[in-house]
Amino acid sequence: PALNIGLKQAKGKYIARMDGDDISMPNRFELQVSFLDENPDIAVVGGAMDIINERGERTSHRKYATTPFKARMFALMRSPLAHPTVMMHHRIIDDGFFYDNEFSKAEDLELWLRLMNNGYKISNMSNTILSYRVIGDLSTKRTKEHFKFAYKARKKNFTFRYPIWNVISVLISKFNSILPNKIVSIAYKIENKQNNNH
């Protein structure tokens, strides 16, 4: 609910968000405002991010799809935007799009899927615009409960306008929701090790 309170209070043309223990790069707003000004068809833009530990040390890196089409394809398996990096047009709020309060997890994924289903375009910048702080193992932030909510988000936003995409999306999400936590932890450790070399 706090996310929606913030959206309702925001008065600017664009709305940016992040979490309290993360660090935005000094030029983040400049880059994202310029991007949205130059690409008025994009409703939400995110960016790449470094993952840091409790001491502020870089442990990994995440890149995201940099075109609306690639973002939709990426969304088959993962959230197409890193939630703390997003900046969105206020027109989304004016059109009545808010986070679904029934989602205590994966609320961002649910919103991005709903926006794309309603014709809004989302994308990412290639620039690294934020340091995302993770205390301990990143897999602890992606528990079975998170995957269950992701599955719920995909089922809720199933549409026959994109039947093949949605069937694949729901099946992948269901598979992720039944994976043992140990396998998820191993997968994240491998991904972090690979991405830390880039």
Side-chain angles (χ1 to χ4, degrees):
L3 288 170
N4 286 330
I5 292 172
L7 292 180
K8 291 173 183 177
Q9 292 295 319
K11 304 299 181 186
K13 179 180 179 181
Y14 302 128
I15 301 170
R17 76 162 304 278
M18 62 181 287
D19 296 321
D21 58 348
D22 299 333
I23 303 170
S24 281
M25 300 304 174
N27 62 344
R28 174 191 171 181
F29 285 0
E30 178 184 0
L31 290 171
Q32 289 188 299
V33 168
S34 295
F35 180 92
L36 290 173
D37 282 346
E38 295 168 7
N39 299 275
D41 60 321
I42 303 296
V44 187
V45 64
M49 66 181 186
D50 287 332
I51 296 177
I52 60 175
N53 60 21
E54 59 270 26
R55 296 181 297 277
E57 300 165 338
R58 182 182 185 269
T59 60
S60 189
H61 184 74
R62 290 289 185 278
K63 295 186 291 185
Y64 293 82
T66 54
T67 68
F69 175 77
K70 290 180 180 179
R72 178 170 278 280
M73 294 301 101
F74 191 86
L76 281 170
M77 299 174 289
R78 304 274 284 271
S79 178
L81 299 159
H83 201 192
T85 71
V86 300
M87 180 178 283
M88 63 185 77
H89 271 278
H90 198 286
R91 69 168 183 260
I92 293 171
I93 311 308
D94 295 333
D95 291 343
F97 288 90
F98 292 90
Y99 294 97
D100 187 333
N101 285 332
E102 293 186 5
F103 284 76
S104 60
K105 297 184 183 298
E107 72 282 351
D108 54 327
L109 173 64
E110 192 284 322
L111 179 59
W112 313 145
L113 293 174
R114 187 156 30 103
L115 286 171
M116 287 190 292
N117 281 346
N118 282 275
Y120 293 89
K121 293 181 180 179
I122 64 175
S123 190
N124 290 279
M125 307 182 69
S126 59
N127 309 71
T128 300
I129 59 174
L130 182 122
S131 293
Y132 176 60
R133 194 181 305 274
V134 175
I135 308 300
D137 189 344
L138 181 61
S139 66
T140 60
K141 286 181 173 282
R142 295 293 179 265
T143 62
K144 273 195 170 184
E145 187 181 9
H146 176 90
F147 288 118
K148 286 178 181 178
F149 272 100
Y151 175 62
K152 179 181 176 181
R154 295 179 189 280
K155 283 205 307 179
K156 176 190 171 187
N157 289 284
F158 188 97
T159 170
F160 285 102
R161 281 180 290 176
Y162 311 102
I164 297 176
W165 187 94
N166 276 280
V167 168
I168 295 173
S169 173
V170 168
L171 289 175
I172 291 174
S173 185
K174 181 62 176 178
F175 176 76
N176 289 337
S177 72
I178 61 176
L179 281 175
N181 287 337
K182 187 173 183 179
I183 293 178
V184 173
S185 180
I186 292 172
Y188 271 107
K189 285 178 181 177
I190 293 172
E191 184 179 22
N192 285 342
K193 186 175 181 180
Q194 291 175 338
N195 289 331
N196 198 32
N197 295 324
H198 293 87

